[in-house]
Amino acid sequence: MNLVVISSKRYHSDFRKYLVQAASSAGQAAYHVHCWSALNVTRNDVESPDATLNLRDSHLLEMSSRLQEGRDTVVLTGMTAFRSRFGRSLKKLLPHAIFVYDVYDDFRYDTKGFKLLRRLQRDWTWRMHCDLHMVLEQGLLQRYPKAFHLDNASHLGRLTRDDGADWIERAVYIGSIDQRTDFAWLERVAQSGIGIDLWGRAHGTLAGGQEVIDRFCARHPQVCHKGGYDNDDLPGILSQYRVGLLPYVTDSDWTRHINPDKLYHYLNSGLEVVATDIPQSRRLSSFLHVVSASGDPAAAVRTALRSNKAGAWSVEAHQWAFRWQQLQECVSAQTRGAR
């Protein structure tokens, strides 16, 4: 089975690139198509030069020609990637492909009124344009009852670190820093004297953005904002730590349906994880240190520094090679059932 991922993100910033790599490593024809203000087609980790949004682009034509060689082709596309007419018109190039609506985020969040109506309309449109539906977060099956669930994963494996060392009281956070980040929770950790390294960029949805981060660091000299990173940099970053933080706000429309990849990066790397009580944390609570609303996150970090709950985590079952196998099985089962 061949794979095409249509995305509004460029290849190197898209977490789905690791699924493309897994398919390619398994000997399949695998492509990533970025279409937004420009067009890029990536195969074997090589991006094509920026091109205009034109179905006659030579890289697209080469891709469509290669995908007509007898194997089934599955195409993953999220709502944002299909928002343009160009995204939908790609179906003309791949008329026999199985298009899967990849619901990897909750498009509703806390929207209301006309904005919510527009998103509901788009959601309905993508359902109609795609043959199958797939959700990243298990709870979204209630909204998409005919979908199948493909869990998140990580490209990382166990990292080499001296687990016999006396780890300093320091934890790491990786990922976007935005309105979902519970700064009050992080404040409680920092006030106890525990150091925190923040790796990630301030997102535009965080009011004040970088200023909020700078003020937080200024209040706590042991807190350091390390700046942005690429996912390919994570082995070198995470090998420096023993504990990873998952500080999402709880009881929020913003975090009810997230299945964050940082959780899998931490666990695959062998880090202990201290998390707020979001639904996905509860599902994986046997591997995590989940802090309730009345709990003490600083105490949980200190416990995690001496713990090994993550030791029972199966790395192989949460890498993209295994997810690629599961995706093929799910698509095959659903297409058989539809006949």
Side-chain angles (χ1 to χ4, degrees):
M1 188 176 288
N2 299 318
L3 174 67
V4 178
V5 171
I6 303 174
S7 179
S8 60
K9 295 182 178 180
R10 294 191 75 112
Y11 174 73
H12 289 289
S13 61
D14 189 354
F15 79 111
R16 286 289 187 220
K17 85 170 191 177
Y18 298 107
L19 185 63
V20 174
Q21 290 176 355
S24 181
S25 295
Q28 312 303 309
Y31 293 85
H32 182 280
V33 180
H34 164 248
C35 56
W36 196 245
S37 57
L39 171 70
N40 305 90
V41 179
T42 301
R43 183 167 186 261
N44 296 330
D45 257 6
V46 179
E47 280 191 59
S48 69
D50 283 4
T52 57
L53 298 176
N54 188 335
L55 283 178
R56 296 177 182 174
D57 176 77
S58 61
H59 293 90
L60 278 181
L61 294 175
E62 184 273 339
M63 177 189 78
S64 62
S65 175
R66 184 178 292 271
L67 295 176
Q68 304 303 324
E69 297 175 355
R71 295 182 191 169
D72 290 335
T73 296
V74 60
V75 180
L76 301 188
T77 175
M79 179 192 294
T80 53
F82 243 29
R83 200 154 67 192
S84 68
R85 290 181 181 176
F86 174 81
R88 294 195 295 273
S89 65
L90 280 174
K91 292 191 76 172
K92 297 176 183 177
L93 282 178
L94 303 169
H96 303 297
I98 302 163
F99 276 71
V100 179
Y101 179 14
D102 185 5
V103 188
Y104 54 80
D105 217 340
D106 180 11
F107 72 91
R108 295 189 187 193
Y109 292 122
D110 61 349
T111 55
K112 298 176 178 65
F114 180 69
K115 190 173 183 180
L116 176 58
L117 288 175
R118 285 186 63 193
R119 293 191 178 189
L120 286 169
Q121 182 184 36
R122 287 173 180 164
D123 180 63
W124 180 85
T125 301
W126 311 149
R127 292 192 199 206
M128 295 302 101
H129 272 282
C130 293
D131 306 294
L132 302 175
H133 310 144
M134 180 178 82
V135 298
L136 182 68
E137 192 273 331
Q138 195 171 340
L140 282 170
L141 289 171
Q142 297 177 358
R143 193 179 300 170
Y144 302 87
K146 295 182 179 180
F148 62 91
H149 170 233
L150 188 75
D151 205 356
N152 213 331
S154 173
H155 59 294
L156 301 178
R158 295 282 184 191
L159 300 178
T160 302
R161 58 170 60 82
D162 183 4
D163 280 333
D166 292 328
W167 287 86
I168 59 173
E169 290 193 339
R170 193 161 199 85
V172 64
Y173 169 83
I174 57 170
S176 296
I177 303 171
D178 52 29
Q179 76 281 7
R180 300 172 301 176
T181 307
D182 191 338
F183 274 95
W185 191 88
L186 288 173
E187 191 87 33
R188 294 170 64 191
V189 175
Q191 285 174 344
S192 74
I194 294 172
I196 304 173
D197 285 341
L198 302 171
W199 288 87
R201 299 173 180 87
H203 196 274
T205 57
L206 176 64
Q210 188 62 46
E211 293 180 5
V212 173
I213 299 171
D214 291 342
R215 288 197 298 270
F216 180 56
C217 293
R219 289 195 301 273
H220 306 286
Q222 78 278 22
V223 176
C224 180
H225 181 218
K226 299 286 192 174
Y229 64 91
D230 291 326
N231 281 332
D232 289 344
D233 301 329
L234 286 176
I237 292 173
L238 294 181
S239 63
Q240 305 172 56
Y241 304 96
R242 183 74 175 83
V243 173
L245 302 179
L246 203 73
Y248 284 112
V249 294
T250 57
D251 297 322
S252 167
D253 290 337
W254 285 99
T255 58
R256 188 165 295 117
H257 293 298
I258 56 173
N259 188 355
D261 53 4
K262 65 175 67 63
L263 179 53
Y264 299 80
H265 296 328
Y266 290 152
L267 289 170
N268 273 21
S269 300
L271 272 70
E272 295 293 296
V273 182
V274 179
T276 53
D277 190 18
I278 60 171
Q280 187 61 11
S281 297
R282 291 196 291 274
R283 293 187 192 106
L284 298 177
S285 59
S286 59
F287 307 103
L288 312 179
H289 304 264
V290 181
V291 182
S292 66
S294 60
D296 182 353
V301 171
R302 292 194 167 101
T303 297
L305 285 165
R306 304 185 301 273
S307 178
N308 189 29
K309 289 190 78 174
W313 177 261
S314 171
V315 174
E316 292 75 15
H318 297 91
Q319 289 185 317
W320 286 110
F322 188 59
R323 290 289 177 266
W324 169 237
Q325 296 176 25
Q326 290 180 309
L327 175 60
Q328 294 176 88
E329 292 167 2
C330 288
V331 170
S332 297
Q334 291 229 341
T335 51
R336 283 197 305 270
R339 294 189 183 118

